[in-house]
Amino acid sequence: MQMLSMIVFLVMSLMASIAMLFMSSIFWVWVMTDVGTLFLIPFLSAETRPKKSWFTGVATYFVIQFFGSVMILGGIILDWAIEAADWSSAMMCFGFALKLGMVPLHFWVSRSFVYFHYGGIFIVGAGQKVFVVACVPLFSDVPLCAYAYYFMAVGSMIYGPIAMFNAIAVKSFLAYSSVTHTGFLVIGSFFGLHIVYAYSFIYCVSMAFLVFMLWSGDCKFMKNLGSELPGYYKTGFVCIAMSFSGFPPFLDFCTKFVILQLSMEQDSTITMVSILTSSLINLIVWVWVLFIATSSEVKEPGFLSGTTGQNVLNMSCIIWNLFMGAGFSMLY
Amino acid sequence: MGLLILMALNCFCVMFLNKKDQTVAVVNCFGVWSAFSLMYWGGSGVSRESLSELFCVDIYSSSMISLSLWICGISILVSSCMTNLRGVFNSYLILVTLLCFLLVQCFMVNTLAMFYVLFESTLIPLASIIGIWGGQIERVPSIQYMAAYTVGGSFPLLLIFTTMEVHAGSSFMWFISMKTTSLNWLFWGGCFLGLLIKLPAFPFHAWLPKAHVQAPVGGSVILAGILLKLGGYGITRMMMLFSYTLESFGILVMSFSIVGSVYGAFMCLRQSDIKKLIAYSSVSHMAFSIMGLFSCTEVGMVGAYIMLVSHGFISPGLFVLSGINSEMVHSRKIKVMSDGVRAAPSLGFFWLVMIMANLGVPPCPVIISEVLSVVCVIALYPWVFVLLLMYFILSGAYSFSLYCQLTRTKKKIKMKVFFNEVTLKDMSALYFLFYPLAEVLFKWDLWAMM
């Protein structure tokens, strides 16, 4: 019954978020965003073994999202009442940036993620952010907001991998990974929404594989990843890690390369430098994660040693990361 | 393309063999592929047998392809004799074959974009080899160093070929030639930085000793034998693509290389770890290749390629010997390895031969390369000879010191060796490394333009 309720709330949140994409008025965008967030609360609260920690995570997430919504609504009302365009846009911009968890407004991301279940991490870290990022281009005609988003995105891309290095808990690691990719998504939004949708689709699928594997092993700490990650998923995890490292010809290299190419066409030097810096730090981090994940004191079952479903998932993950990069490059 | 298809088909056939036979089968396959790759060798210009939409091979590519196939086969041969490869040996076969496949393609492709992708992709199997079969916990930082240096250094190259794709529509290496005088330091730095790091050039050499120390014997053989040569080959192609002539950037690089050769030789003198010593000796030798390449003379190019190919056989030979010797005493310390040499005196002979080859004693082709490179550099500025003289003295000193330490006859109460016999099978890899050196000696002008 609990699983059914989680699915229902998730679907309702998804519907609200999709509806948000088709709204023409900023007010209704705000409404749908908030409705989507509200429906996520029960989903995030669902725990098979209730404990106090879930409350901490969900409460933090709710307070931050609520404050962000207040800022957005405040901006809308300010613009309607006294037509202070720049100030109202700045307030709304602040609200959306807080919801996205971009540097320097990222403080809540790790604090919340540590207490979420893995499904919640995927939805909040990947799924929900895709829809909120789609609101960023609304402010592209306000220079103050555009520059603010740009530099916050650059900061997120560079700070995220550094923070990942210092993560002790797996969920905290995923939180900062989410911050990094949010930066890439926002940068991509400056080049066109088609890039955002393509990147977010790829990111969501990759994160789904990653989160599922970590959930199946109930992984808690980075240092224990090798022993906690199931042996039949290790090959898939290695592929994901290599992809997130940015090694060609894996998938994540191709997506970052497309954004790099677009920034080159626009002669955006800061973007190019930040992408390359982020990629370099990310490489070092994921090599470290790869080593931890593949080291284990106990001899474990190897490749294709799980059930049919587990093997299918593992193979799908390998194929996705190894070959979809070429597919994406050809399509794009 | 025929070579790649042959490789793929052979690998498919080997999969069905008994696991015990697979090692011998793969080694034999590498021999067959090396023989097949000789078909691409010709004079100056593009090989007719290689022309296709994706690939284009000339003497520089074909020599590197043959070297790759030979060295990867040697790597498997020497690793099959070692006892320190944990786990399933078949995984090692797969990784080395995959690495060789990527390398051969890297030397064959005709676009800069594909070259870059394959150049970076070769890191993955090597990092896996070091990560899985490396000896110590420090292998993780060594992989990080190697990855960060290589990937970070080649980011400017990524930007360059992306610019070519965006503005020119293609990064085809054989016909696009930017004949302009407006290319500045930043551009040349971006072109060559990643490749110089790969070689490795002083002062970007820090990753190599760490990687060699942590890698298993087979990994060191491949790293020293062929992976470093990717940098030299890439430099050749970039020079061809952008019509590089003698620039002030090149003179700076040559200056660093001259200092690097002396520095490498000096560091060899101070080493107690045999693998680090061989690594620093590689830094010294690759400096001569850099000098030859950046001198923009035919003599320099010939000297550089003689060094690249010769070093590709000599350095793995040294690693093979160090692997056998260190397995006997379970230590890489030179002074401890002398116990192994005393237990198996034939090793002393082989050490002498390889050290002399490394030093460049005639008739080893290394001396030809060093002479040609010295000629190129002195033509630019004669007083450079002083530094090169220092290099020759220091290289003689560390070689002599190494041999003396390995063969010292100071009596000990008990020799701590784990086995005291070195069989023909153990040395087979070494024999297969000697033979091509003779070929290089007789065909040393192969890379001349005319």
Side-chain angles (χ1 to χ4, degrees):
Chain A
M1 191 61 194
Q2 188 183 36
M3 183 61 73
L4 181 62
S5 64
M6 283 172 76
I7 292 170
V8 165
F9 282 117
L10 193 59
V11 167
M12 289 168 77
S13 175
L14 182 64
M15 284 169 60
S17 300
I18 292 171
M20 182 266 286
L21 292 176
F22 296 98
M23 296 297 153
S24 55
S25 159
I26 186 72
F27 173 75
W28 285 106
V29 166
W30 170 77
V31 167
M32 286 298 149
T33 308
D34 267 19
V35 166
T37 305
L38 283 168
F39 279 132
L40 271 184
I41 304 294
F43 171 77
L44 294 171
S45 310
E47 279 279 356
T48 49
R49 289 160 299 176
K51 46 188 184 290
K52 185 190 169 202
S53 60
W54 70 259
F55 174 75
T56 312
V58 176
T60 308
Y61 173 74
F62 176 71
V63 165
I64 293 296
Q65 297 294 313
F66 173 75
F67 190 68
S69 297
V70 163
M71 295 300 291
I72 296 168
L73 184 62
I76 294 170
I77 292 173
L78 204 64
D79 186 48
W80 175 71
I82 61 173
E83 292 184 359
D86 282 355
W87 285 109
S88 59
S89 296
M91 281 183 74
M92 286 188 272
C93 173
F94 180 87
F96 279 114
L98 189 60
K99 280 175 171 290
L100 282 171
M102 294 169 69
V103 167
L105 304 171
H106 64 286
F107 52 89
W108 62 272
V109 181
S110 178
R111 285 185 171 90
S112 308
F113 276 40
V114 163
Y115 297 112
F116 285 166
H117 50 77
Y118 275 106
I121 288 174
F122 170 70
I123 294 298
V124 173
Q128 190 199 22
K129 290 202 175 176
V130 167
F131 294 102
V132 182
V133 165
C135 301
V136 169
L138 289 172
F139 303 95
S140 57
D141 55 344
V142 181
L144 176 69
C145 297
Y147 277 114
Y149 274 127
Y150 179 73
F151 286 109
M152 280 194 282
V154 166
S156 302
M157 284 198 300
I158 295 174
Y159 175 77
I162 297 171
M164 280 159 71
F165 226 149
N166 293 317
I168 298 172
V170 171
K171 292 180 178 177
S172 182
F173 180 86
L174 291 173
Y176 289 114
S177 171
S178 163
V179 169
T180 311
H181 285 278
T182 304
F184 275 97
L185 280 168
V186 172
I187 287 287
S189 72
F190 286 101
F191 302 122
L193 275 178
H194 64 287
I195 288 294
V196 173
Y197 295 143
Y199 190 101
S200 40
F201 171 71
I202 290 169
Y203 175 56
C204 286
V205 175
S206 299
M207 275 297 285
F209 280 121
L210 179 65
V211 165
F212 188 86
M213 288 178 184
L214 293 171
W215 167 77
S216 60
D218 195 24
C219 303
K220 289 187 173 49
F221 296 106
M222 294 301 293
K223 61 177 182 171
N224 299 333
L225 209 55
S227 49
E228 288 175 351
L229 199 64
Y232 41 81
Y233 282 146
K234 284 217 170 153
T235 333
F237 187 87
V238 164
C239 283
I240 292 179
M242 285 189 181
S243 176
F244 280 133
S245 303
F247 279 118
F250 289 93
L251 183 56
D252 212 48
F253 165 78
C254 299
T255 51
K256 287 179 181 166
F257 175 73
V258 164
I259 295 184
L260 184 69
Q261 192 173 9
L262 288 167
S263 57
M264 189 171 283
E265 285 173 9
Q266 305 290 330
D267 288 328
S268 176
T269 314
I270 296 175
T271 314
M272 288 191 289
V273 169
S274 54
I275 290 172
L276 296 178
T277 310
S278 172
S279 302
L280 183 63
I281 305 170
N282 213 34
L283 167 74
I284 299 170
V285 170
W286 278 100
V287 166
W288 164 66
V289 170
L290 191 60
F291 172 74
I292 295 175
T294 50
S295 59
S296 173
E297 293 172 355
V298 180
K299 187 169 169 56
E300 290 181 352
F303 184 55
L304 296 179
S305 58
T307 62
T308 308
Q310 288 163 348
N311 292 337
V312 164
L313 185 81
N314 195 39
M315 283 303 299
S316 306
C317 179
I318 293 168
I319 291 167
W320 170 257
N321 284 288
L322 203 52
F323 298 111
M324 284 310 293
F328 173 69
S329 302
M330 282 192 295
L331 283 171
Y332 184 78
Chain B
M1 182 69 99
L3 175 61
L4 295 171
I5 294 171
L6 178 67
M7 287 174 77
L9 286 173
N10 285 162
C11 290
F12 181 73
C13 294
V14 165
M15 271 168 52
F16 296 102
L17 288 175
N18 192 339
K19 289 205 185 308
K20 289 177 190 172
D21 297 328
Q22 278 180 350
T23 308
V24 174
V26 169
V27 172
N28 286 335
C29 280
F30 275 104
V32 167
W33 299 336
S34 305
F36 188 93
S37 71
L38 294 176
M39 213 171 66
Y40 295 141
W41 287 48
S44 57
V46 170
S47 160
R48 284 181 185 275
E49 282 78 16
S50 71
L51 279 178
S52 72
E53 275 188 32
L54 299 170
F55 305 116
C56 210
V57 164
D58 63 359
I59 187 60
Y60 303 106
S61 328
S62 53
S63 50
M64 292 291 116
I65 290 168
S66 303
L67 181 67
S68 308
L69 293 165
W70 196 264
I71 292 299
C72 289
I74 297 290
S75 163
I76 293 175
L77 193 60
V78 73
S79 300
S80 64
C81 307
M82 296 289 152
T83 57
N84 61 352
L85 282 181
R86 319 181 272 285
V88 182
F89 189 67
N90 292 328
S91 313
Y92 185 78
L93 290 182
I94 292 167
L95 281 170
V96 171
T97 310
L98 175 65
L99 178 56
C100 187
F101 199 68
L102 292 171
L103 280 167
V104 167
Q105 285 184 80
C106 197
F107 290 126
M108 289 171 94
V109 289
N110 55 18
T111 55
L112 197 54
M114 281 311 299
F115 175 79
Y116 177 86
V117 169
L118 291 162
F119 178 83
E120 299 294 347
S121 304
T122 55
L123 261 182
I124 299 169
L126 182 69
S128 306
I129 289 171
I130 297 176
I132 299 171
W133 289 286
Q136 298 153 298
I137 195 74
E138 290 85 4
R139 64 189 187 274
V140 177
S142 75
I143 294 171
Q144 287 175 325
Y145 258 88
M146 186 175 68
Y149 265 85
T150 310
V151 176
S154 55
F155 276 150
L157 187 61
L158 170 69
L159 293 176
I160 284 170
F161 88 74
T162 311
T163 310
M164 286 174 71
E165 293 278 348
V166 166
H167 295 297
S170 169
S171 58
F172 188 64
M173 288 199 287
W174 287 84
F175 296 130
I176 296 177
S177 176
M178 292 173 59
K179 295 192 185 297
T180 169
T181 54
S182 65
L183 298 173
N184 56 17
W185 273 64
L186 213 59
F187 177 80
W188 293 123
C191 278
F192 294 121
L193 180 66
L195 302 163
L196 287 169
I197 288 174
K198 191 75 179 179
L199 258 173
F202 178 85
F204 306 113
H205 62 283
W207 64 274
L208 187 68
K210 293 181 198 303
H212 269 311
V213 161
Q214 300 304 326
V217 174
S220 292
V221 163
I222 295 177
L223 181 57
I226 189 61
L227 281 171
L228 303 186
K229 282 59 184 176
L230 265 176
Y233 174 79
I235 288 174
T236 312
R237 289 291 172 236
M238 297 304 287
M239 286 182 170
M240 181 186 81
L241 178 57
F242 294 113
S243 302
Y244 178 83
T245 52
L246 191 62
E247 305 263 344
S248 50
F249 173 81
I251 293 174
L252 178 70
V253 170
M254 288 168 76
S255 310
F256 273 127
S257 301
I258 295 165
V259 171
S261 64
V262 177
Y263 168 82
F266 182 70
M267 289 300 285
C268 287
L269 213 47
R270 298 187 65 245
Q271 295 305 320
S272 57
D273 185 326
I274 185 68
K275 277 192 146 186
K276 270 194 176 171
L277 188 148
I278 302 170
Y280 279 109
S281 131
S282 293
V283 172
S284 277
H285 284 107
M286 287 299 103
F288 281 88
S289 305
I290 296 169
M291 286 185 238
L293 287 169
F294 278 91
S295 67
C296 299
T297 57
E298 184 183 336
V299 164
M301 183 73 97
V302 171
Y305 268 81
I306 292 173
M307 178 60 83
L308 288 175
V309 175
S310 307
H311 182 267
F313 295 116
I314 295 169
S315 197
L318 285 168
F319 278 112
V320 166
L321 268 176
S322 73
I324 295 169
N325 208 340
S326 61
E327 266 228 328
M328 292 171 85
V329 297
H330 273 219
S331 172
R332 291 194 310 268
K333 297 287 179 205
I334 300 171
K335 289 190 171 133
V336 178
M337 282 165 65
S338 63
D339 286 346
V341 176
R342 249 180 298 126
S346 59
L347 276 180
F349 170 74
F350 286 112
W351 271 116
L352 178 65
V353 171
M354 291 309 299
I355 288 170
M356 285 201 321
N358 192 47
L359 181 57
V361 170
C364 180
V366 168
I367 187 66
I368 304 174
S369 161
E370 287 177 350
V371 165
L372 293 177
S373 302
V374 164
V375 161
C376 294
V377 175
I378 288 174
L380 286 172
Y381 190 61
W383 285 104
V384 164
F385 186 73
V386 174
L387 279 170
L388 291 172
L389 191 63
M390 278 177 65
Y391 161 76
F392 287 120
I393 293 170
L394 285 170
S395 67
Y398 81 71
S399 303
F400 185 66
S401 163
L402 174 63
Y403 182 69
C404 289
Q405 286 182 76
L406 285 168
T407 54
R408 66 183 182 147
T409 53
K410 186 178 174 184
K411 282 190 181 172
K412 280 191 171 180
I413 299 166
K414 187 180 173 187
M415 279 193 302
K416 293 179 186 173
V417 293
F418 288 88
F419 54 91
N420 61 359
E421 192 186 33
V422 174
T423 63
L424 180 66
K425 187 184 172 218
D426 299 329
M427 306 306 287
S428 56
L430 210 55
Y431 301 141
F432 284 120
L433 285 168
F434 279 140
Y435 160 70
L437 279 175
E439 289 289 333
V440 175
L441 176 66
F442 290 116
K443 294 184 190 302
W444 66 271
D445 60 346
L446 198 61
W447 299 277
M449 302 291 183
M450 302 297 290

